[in-house]
Amino acid sequence: MKIGLVSDVHADPDPLAEALDAFSRSAVDRIICAGDIAGYNRHLTATIDLLIDHDVDCVCGNHDHEWLNSHADEIATRDYQFLNQLPASREYELAGKRLFVVHAEPPDRQLGGIKLLDAGGHMLPKSRDYWSETLRSVQTDILVVGHTHQVYAERLADTLVLNPGSTPYNHSCMILTLPGCRVETLALAGKPVRKTWNWRMVQSRMQDRA
């Protein structure tokens, strides 16, 4: 069984469409989005169209929650109704493996997040040790998260933790093959995968150029 993984698509349909095309070519059986469909960009409707057309299973992210709070006057719209029905987490039993999906941290957090990498995309041993201990009580074989805009596939305690990164900002998505738990990270937009991305890095570069 092949599962396509995306996250933090942030209302930018083009890289999401590229990821979905890659999943189609690889004949994935299911597609999962780890939240943050809204935020940063202005093409939310087109993004939701893609998710619906490709039957993507989604969870709610912090930007989705914020969008709902700030668009209460749009309760009758398709975009509002789509985001409003998203669960905080999803659980699956697939090919004999237990899989849990949440935007930031289990069991249902949309903020915080499992940060394992430094600004250069290198593993932080103290963070890895912390999360290995913190996730020891999580009863799942595979944990899929987003939020941090970091790309990794790391075994922490007894759980394989996957973050496919942000389609527009990390230029990445993943394919998980079960039951062997093989993970393939795909690059998008003709750019190399950026293992770590955040707004502070962008602001720092802008200040350096000023």
Side-chain angles (χ1 to χ4, degrees):
M1 172 175 278
K2 290 184 177 181
I3 303 169
L5 301 175
V6 294
S7 189
D8 298 85
V9 299
H10 288 303
D12 191 341
D14 290 343
L16 173 61
E18 185 180 347
L20 294 171
D21 285 345
F23 296 157
S24 179
R25 291 193 301 272
S26 295
V28 303
D29 300 285
R30 185 184 295 268
I31 304 172
I32 297 172
C33 175
D36 270 8
I37 295 154
Y40 298 150
N41 298 290
R42 298 181 179 180
H43 305 293
L44 181 60
T45 297
T47 301
I48 290 176
D49 285 343
L50 285 168
L51 295 170
I52 292 175
D53 289 347
H54 290 80
D55 196 26
V56 179
D57 292 346
C58 305
V59 298
C60 190
N62 59 296
H63 279 275
D64 306 322
H65 186 74
E66 291 167 8
W67 189 94
L68 289 168
N69 286 340
S70 62
H71 291 76
D73 58 334
E74 299 180 31
I75 191 170
T77 66
R78 194 282 309 268
D79 291 352
Y80 188 99
Q81 292 178 4
F82 178 85
L83 294 179
N84 193 48
Q85 56 81 37
L86 295 180
S89 65
R90 290 181 181 267
E91 295 183 71
Y92 302 86
E93 183 84 26
L94 300 171
K97 298 293 185 180
R98 296 166 298 172
L99 190 148
F100 190 90
V101 185
V102 65
H103 182 57
E105 306 172 20
D108 57 7
R109 292 200 65 191
Q110 296 175 352
L111 294 171
I114 301 175
K115 301 180 182 72
L116 299 179
L117 309 178
D118 64 15
H122 305 292
M123 183 63 61
L124 294 166
K126 288 185 178 179
S127 293
R128 189 185 188 285
D129 291 346
Y130 169 81
W131 283 108
S132 293
E133 184 62 32
T134 300
L135 297 175
R136 197 168 296 280
S137 61
V138 174
Q139 300 298 307
T140 191
D141 298 306
I142 302 158
L143 172 64
V144 179
V145 296
H147 185 61
T148 61
H149 294 186
Q150 296 190 347
V151 182
Y152 53 76
E154 193 72 18
R155 185 161 293 279
L156 302 176
D158 295 323
T159 300
L160 175 62
V161 184
L162 306 178
N163 191 326
S166 167
T167 47
Y169 299 118
N170 297 102
H171 317 303
S172 60
C173 61
M174 284 180 175
I175 296 177
L176 167 67
T177 302
L178 299 176
C181 294
R182 184 171 68 87
V183 180
E184 181 183 6
T185 301
L186 307 180
L188 302 173
K191 300 177 180 179
V193 172
R194 182 181 290 163
K195 289 189 175 181
T196 300
W197 183 95
N198 60 55
W199 278 115
R200 290 180 183 175
M201 292 168 58
V202 175
Q203 291 167 346
S204 176
R205 292 192 188 105
M206 291 174 65
Q207 290 171 356
D208 290 343
R209 293 170 185 168

mmCIF file of all heavy atoms in Angstrom, residues 179-202:
data_model
loop_
_atom_site.group_PDB
_atom_site.id
_atom_site.type_symbol
_atom_site.label_atom_id
_atom_site.label_comp_id
_atom_site.label_asym_id
_atom_site.label_seq_id
_atom_site.Cartn_x
_atom_site.Cartn_y
_atom_site.Cartn_z
ATOM 1 N N PRO A 179 3.548 -2.603 4.003
ATOM 2 C CA PRO A 179 3.876 -2.553 5.428
ATOM 3 C C PRO A 179 5.355 -2.321 5.748
ATOM 4 O O PRO A 179 5.732 -2.262 6.915
ATOM 5 C CB PRO A 179 3.451 -3.934 5.917
ATOM 6 C CG PRO A 179 3.692 -4.825 4.731
ATOM 7 C CD PRO A 179 3.352 -3.993 3.533
ATOM 8 N N GLY A 180 6.197 -2.189 4.749
ATOM 9 C CA GLY A 180 7.629 -2.087 5.000
ATOM 10 C C GLY A 180 8.096 -0.749 5.531
ATOM 11 O O GLY A 180 9.263 -0.603 5.899
ATOM 12 N N CYS A 181 7.208 0.261 5.548
ATOM 13 C CA CYS A 181 7.524 1.602 6.067
ATOM 14 C C CYS A 181 8.672 2.254 5.288
ATOM 15 O O CYS A 181 9.513 2.954 5.867
ATOM 16 C CB CYS A 181 7.848 1.556 7.552
ATOM 17 S SG CYS A 181 6.453 1.094 8.582
ATOM 18 N N ARG A 182 8.694 2.044 3.988
ATOM 19 C CA ARG A 182 9.674 2.736 3.154
ATOM 20 C C ARG A 182 9.163 4.134 2.863
ATOM 21 O O ARG A 182 7.999 4.324 2.512
ATOM 22 C CB ARG A 182 9.909 1.972 1.850
ATOM 23 C CG ARG A 182 11.002 2.601 0.972
ATOM 24 C CD ARG A 182 11.339 1.696 -0.192
ATOM 25 N NE ARG A 182 10.239 1.607 -1.146
ATOM 26 C CZ ARG A 182 10.057 2.467 -2.147
ATOM 27 N NH1 ARG A 182 10.890 3.490 -2.311
ATOM 28 N NH2 ARG A 182 9.057 2.307 -2.978
ATOM 29 N N VAL A 183 10.030 5.138 3.010
ATOM 30 C CA VAL A 183 9.644 6.533 2.845
ATOM 31 C C VAL A 183 10.464 7.155 1.723
ATOM 32 O O VAL A 183 11.698 7.089 1.725
ATOM 33 C CB VAL A 183 9.859 7.337 4.150
ATOM 34 C CG1 VAL A 183 9.456 8.799 3.949
ATOM 35 C CG2 VAL A 183 9.077 6.717 5.296
ATOM 36 N N GLU A 184 9.767 7.766 0.776
ATOM 37 C CA GLU A 184 10.414 8.479 -0.319
ATOM 38 C C GLU A 184 10.013 9.943 -0.242
ATOM 39 O O GLU A 184 8.820 10.269 -0.217
ATOM 40 C CB GLU A 184 9.983 7.895 -1.659
ATOM 41 C CG GLU A 184 10.627 8.555 -2.861
ATOM 42 C CD GLU A 184 10.124 8.003 -4.192
ATOM 43 O OE1 GLU A 184 9.180 7.183 -4.170
ATOM 44 O OE2 GLU A 184 10.666 8.398 -5.231
ATOM 45 N N THR A 185 10.993 10.833 -0.192
ATOM 46 C CA THR A 185 10.729 12.265 -0.188
ATOM 47 C C THR A 185 10.905 12.798 -1.606
ATOM 48 O O THR A 185 11.947 12.587 -2.229
ATOM 49 C CB THR A 185 11.683 13.007 0.766
ATOM 50 O OG1 THR A 185 11.518 12.485 2.087
ATOM 51 C CG2 THR A 185 11.375 14.498 0.796
ATOM 52 N N LEU A 186 9.886 13.479 -2.102
ATOM 53 C CA LEU A 186 9.897 14.003 -3.461
ATOM 54 C C LEU A 186 10.092 15.515 -3.436
ATOM 55 O O LEU A 186 9.497 16.221 -2.617
ATOM 56 C CB LEU A 186 8.578 13.685 -4.163
ATOM 57 C CG LEU A 186 8.132 12.220 -4.170
ATOM 58 C CD1 LEU A 186 6.804 12.092 -4.900
ATOM 59 C CD2 LEU A 186 9.185 11.330 -4.794
ATOM 60 N N ALA A 187 10.922 16.012 -4.348
ATOM 61 C CA ALA A 187 11.147 17.453 -4.481
ATOM 62 C C ALA A 187 10.136 18.038 -5.461
ATOM 63 O O ALA A 187 9.754 17.393 -6.445
ATOM 64 C CB ALA A 187 12.567 17.719 -4.967
ATOM 65 N N LEU A 188 9.704 19.265 -5.197
ATOM 66 C CA LEU A 188 8.696 19.933 -6.015
ATOM 67 C C LEU A 188 9.254 21.217 -6.628
ATOM 68 O O LEU A 188 10.242 21.777 -6.145
ATOM 69 C CB LEU A 188 7.476 20.271 -5.156
ATOM 70 C CG LEU A 188 6.775 19.094 -4.457
ATOM 71 C CD1 LEU A 188 5.700 19.603 -3.522
ATOM 72 C CD2 LEU A 188 6.208 18.114 -5.477
ATOM 73 N N ALA A 189 8.588 21.683 -7.665
ATOM 74 C CA ALA A 189 8.875 22.972 -8.306
ATOM 75 C C ALA A 189 10.282 23.036 -8.895
ATOM 76 O O ALA A 189 10.835 24.131 -9.060
ATOM 77 C CB ALA A 189 8.653 24.124 -7.323
ATOM 78 N N GLY A 190 10.881 21.892 -9.180
ATOM 79 C CA GLY A 190 12.219 21.885 -9.739
ATOM 80 C C GLY A 190 13.281 22.401 -8.788
ATOM 81 O O GLY A 190 14.375 22.785 -9.227
ATOM 82 N N LYS A 191 12.978 22.384 -7.493
ATOM 83 C CA LYS A 191 13.910 22.892 -6.484
ATOM 84 C C LYS A 191 14.306 21.772 -5.537
ATOM 85 O O LYS A 191 13.540 20.827 -5.340
ATOM 86 C CB LYS A 191 13.265 24.040 -5.701
ATOM 87 C CG LYS A 191 12.863 25.226 -6.564
ATOM 88 C CD LYS A 191 12.171 26.297 -5.723
ATOM 89 C CE LYS A 191 11.759 27.482 -6.588
ATOM 90 N NZ LYS A 191 11.059 28.527 -5.811
ATOM 91 N N PRO A 192 15.478 21.867 -4.945
ATOM 92 C CA PRO A 192 15.843 20.856 -3.951
ATOM 93 C C PRO A 192 14.971 20.989 -2.704
ATOM 94 O O PRO A 192 14.466 22.077 -2.393
ATOM 95 C CB PRO A 192 17.313 21.180 -3.637
ATOM 96 C CG PRO A 192 17.466 22.623 -3.985
ATOM 97 C CD PRO A 192 16.552 22.874 -5.144
ATOM 98 N N VAL A 193 14.772 19.874 -2.024
ATOM 99 C CA VAL A 193 14.016 19.903 -0.777
ATOM 100 C C VAL A 193 14.738 20.781 0.228
ATOM 101 O O VAL A 193 15.939 20.621 0.467
ATOM 102 C CB VAL A 193 13.837 18.476 -0.221
ATOM 103 C CG1 VAL A 193 13.221 18.523 1.171
ATOM 104 C CG2 VAL A 193 12.985 17.644 -1.171
ATOM 105 N N ARG A 194 14.009 21.718 0.804
ATOM 106 C CA ARG A 194 14.545 22.569 1.867
ATOM 107 C C ARG A 194 14.107 21.949 3.183
ATOM 108 O O ARG A 194 12.942 22.007 3.554
ATOM 109 C CB ARG A 194 13.989 23.984 1.711
ATOM 110 C CG ARG A 194 14.504 24.975 2.732
ATOM 111 C CD ARG A 194 13.864 26.339 2.508
ATOM 112 N NE ARG A 194 14.352 26.961 1.285
ATOM 113 C CZ ARG A 194 13.731 27.982 0.677
ATOM 114 N NH1 ARG A 194 12.611 28.452 1.169
ATOM 115 N NH2 ARG A 194 14.240 28.510 -0.419
ATOM 116 N N LYS A 195 15.042 21.347 3.902
ATOM 117 C CA LYS A 195 14.666 20.569 5.085
ATOM 118 C C LYS A 195 14.068 21.413 6.197
ATOM 119 O O LYS A 195 13.272 20.909 7.000
ATOM 120 C CB LYS A 195 15.878 19.788 5.604
ATOM 121 C CG LYS A 195 16.276 18.630 4.706
ATOM 122 C CD LYS A 195 17.336 17.769 5.375
ATOM 123 C CE LYS A 195 17.645 16.543 4.527
ATOM 124 N NZ LYS A 195 18.660 15.684 5.192
ATOM 125 N N THR A 196 14.455 22.688 6.274
ATOM 126 C CA THR A 196 13.914 23.579 7.302
ATOM 127 C C THR A 196 13.561 24.914 6.668
ATOM 128 O O THR A 196 14.342 25.468 5.886
ATOM 129 C CB THR A 196 14.940 23.808 8.431
ATOM 130 O OG1 THR A 196 15.272 22.562 9.040
ATOM 131 C CG2 THR A 196 14.372 24.735 9.498
ATOM 132 N N TRP A 197 12.371 25.414 6.999
ATOM 133 C CA TRP A 197 11.947 26.738 6.523
ATOM 134 C C TRP A 197 11.054 27.367 7.578
ATOM 135 O O TRP A 197 10.206 26.704 8.177
ATOM 136 C CB TRP A 197 11.156 26.635 5.223
ATOM 137 C CG TRP A 197 10.751 27.970 4.663
ATOM 138 C CD1 TRP A 197 11.417 28.690 3.724
ATOM 139 C CD2 TRP A 197 9.600 28.748 5.014
ATOM 140 N NE1 TRP A 197 10.758 29.869 3.461
ATOM 141 C CE2 TRP A 197 9.641 29.927 4.237
ATOM 142 C CE3 TRP A 197 8.553 28.565 5.908
ATOM 143 C CZ2 TRP A 197 8.663 30.922 4.341
ATOM 144 C CZ3 TRP A 197 7.584 29.550 6.012
ATOM 145 C CH2 TRP A 197 7.638 30.705 5.227
ATOM 146 N N ASN A 198 11.263 28.659 7.839
ATOM 147 C CA ASN A 198 10.317 29.409 8.669
ATOM 148 C C ASN A 198 10.441 30.895 8.360
ATOM 149 O O ASN A 198 11.404 31.339 7.728
ATOM 150 C CB ASN A 198 10.514 29.132 10.166
ATOM 151 C CG ASN A 198 11.895 29.502 10.659
ATOM 152 O OD1 ASN A 198 12.341 30.628 10.498
ATOM 153 N ND2 ASN A 198 12.589 28.537 11.268
ATOM 154 N N TRP A 199 9.457 31.664 8.804
ATOM 155 C CA TRP A 199 9.425 33.090 8.487
ATOM 156 C C TRP A 199 10.604 33.837 9.094
ATOM 157 O O TRP A 199 11.079 34.822 8.535
ATOM 158 C CB TRP A 199 8.110 33.712 8.962
ATOM 159 C CG TRP A 199 6.989 33.504 8.001
ATOM 160 C CD1 TRP A 199 5.846 32.781 8.194
ATOM 161 C CD2 TRP A 199 6.885 34.022 6.661
ATOM 162 N NE1 TRP A 199 5.060 32.804 7.079
ATOM 163 C CE2 TRP A 199 5.661 33.559 6.126
ATOM 164 C CE3 TRP A 199 7.721 34.817 5.876
ATOM 165 C CZ2 TRP A 199 5.250 33.876 4.831
ATOM 166 C CZ3 TRP A 199 7.305 35.132 4.582
ATOM 167 C CH2 TRP A 199 6.084 34.673 4.072
ATOM 168 N N ARG A 200 11.096 33.400 10.245
ATOM 169 C CA ARG A 200 12.245 34.079 10.862
ATOM 170 C C ARG A 200 13.473 34.002 9.960
ATOM 171 O O ARG A 200 14.238 34.950 9.856
ATOM 172 C CB ARG A 200 12.549 33.455 12.224
ATOM 173 C CG ARG A 200 11.498 33.746 13.293
ATOM 174 C CD ARG A 200 11.863 33.098 14.607
ATOM 175 N NE ARG A 200 10.833 33.310 15.616
ATOM 176 C CZ ARG A 200 10.855 32.775 16.817
ATOM 177 N NH1 ARG A 200 11.867 31.980 17.160
ATOM 178 N NH2 ARG A 200 9.887 33.013 17.677
ATOM 179 N N MET A 201 13.643 32.843 9.296
ATOM 180 C CA MET A 201 14.766 32.714 8.367
ATOM 181 C C MET A 201 14.618 33.698 7.220
ATOM 182 O O MET A 201 15.588 34.343 6.804
ATOM 183 C CB MET A 201 14.817 31.284 7.832
ATOM 184 C CG MET A 201 15.182 30.243 8.866
ATOM 185 S SD MET A 201 14.883 28.550 8.294
ATOM 186 C CE MET A 201 15.897 28.502 6.825
ATOM 187 N N VAL A 202 13.397 33.848 6.706
ATOM 188 C CA VAL A 202 13.158 34.770 5.603
ATOM 189 C C VAL A 202 13.419 36.206 6.043
ATOM 190 O O VAL A 202 14.082 36.982 5.341
ATOM 191 C CB VAL A 202 11.709 34.620 5.090
ATOM 192 C CG1 VAL A 202 11.404 35.671 4.027
ATOM 193 C CG2 VAL A 202 11.496 33.226 4.520
#
